[in-house]
Amino acid sequence: MNKVLSMKEAVARYVQDEMSVAMGCSLEGCIPFAAGHEILRQGRKNLTLIGPISDILFDQMIGGGSVSKVIAAWIGNVSTGLGYHFRRAVEQGIPQPLQVDNHSNLSVALALKAGATGVPFAVTRSLLGSDIARNSNWFHPISCPFTGETLLAVKALEPDLAIVHAQRADADGNTQFWGSSGVAGDAARAAKNTIVVVEELVDSNVIRSDPNRTFLPGFLVSAVVVEPWGAHPSPVQGYYGHHDSFYLEYGQVTRDPDQAKTWFDRYVFDVADRKSYIDLFSPQELASLKVSTSLPSGSVEFGF
């Protein structure tokens, strides 16, 4: 089955109001900004966003008015710290009130692992006695049936949708990833549907020639979107790096709501698609982000 869709088609088909969506689960790299921007352009509302370190993607989607709840460990800007849209939503209800379900990085990972494996909870010692676990519906002390030790149960997470950015996939959805993947694999396995966004579409023979690099099998993938630069300004291993100056600019302009609106118009709402977004950057600026020192992996023999 050919699962290739445009980003507009994928979001229209798989993202609905009030859904829970796991995004940015590869931590600081491969964050699906292109998908987040299209969700904003299509005006989705009251989403629950799930992710450990979502970086400025969650901050943007909160500021763009699509989010009513977050289940996360941290929301901000890896280059400057604070996420100003997140802060305004929590403190002032702007652009709308935001419910925050606090987790640690580990507890988000454990909750998605439980969801991925089909069990109702995971178990940890982490967070015992912490303020995160106190008065939270996500955690519950339990007694170990083997030792009697007090442990903490972490309720499973099963998102309606996961959106994963990766390096390449074939038209059937078989997806290959290299570099730090965080908990994106478990998010995809825990979710009811998964959209994969890739830098390039490759023939199935390419996938079969290097099977150990296959991150998600096609049967877990609902749609494949081919979107070069789709994770910008976050890095994608082997394709482009972290756009430091963009993060600094975002941190500066989003301090002020009026300047933030101008930023949204320029980079999200006044562009038709990802190509129009990328055209806002000079060729020299984009070239500076591309791989400058090649470090290819060695080939291996898979024959018998």
Side-chain angles (χ1 to χ4, degrees), residues 160-235:
D160 294 316
L161 176 69
I163 304 179
V164 175
H165 193 97
Q167 282 88 347
R168 65 192 186 196
D170 64 15
D172 296 325
N174 298 298
T175 304
Q176 295 195 330
F177 188 107
W178 52 97
S180 176
S181 61
V183 295
D186 282 336
R189 288 171 172 81
K192 297 178 179 69
N193 285 293
T194 297
I195 297 172
V196 167
V197 186
V198 292
E199 294 294 319
E200 58 180 318
L201 189 71
V202 297
D203 189 85
S204 295
N205 289 330
V206 175
I207 303 294
R208 286 194 291 267
S209 72
D210 194 2
N212 284 9
R213 214 180 301 275
T214 301
F215 183 64
L216 295 175
F219 66 81
L220 289 177
V221 175
S222 306
V224 176
V225 177
V226 185
E227 201 77 277
W229 294 97
H232 176 275
S234 72

Side-chain angles (χ1 to χ4, degrees), residues 20-28 31-32 47-55 57-59 61-62 67 69-76 86 100-112 138 157-159 161-163 181-184 186-188:
S20 58
V21 185
M23 306 175 72
C25 291
S26 299
L27 306 181
E28 293 183 19
I31 299 172
L47 299 179
T48 295
L49 298 185
I50 298 167
I53 299 177
S54 58
D55 207 356
L57 175 59
F58 279 18
D59 192 63
M61 295 183 71
I62 291 165
V67 184
K69 179 179 176 179
V70 291
I71 301 171
W74 180 83
I75 296 171
F86 171 67
V100 180
D101 287 7
N102 281 315
H103 271 264
S104 69
N105 287 333
L106 177 61
S107 66
V108 170
L110 290 172
L112 289 171
W138 287 100
L157 267 169
E158 296 179 322
L161 176 69
I163 304 179
S181 61
V183 295
D186 282 336

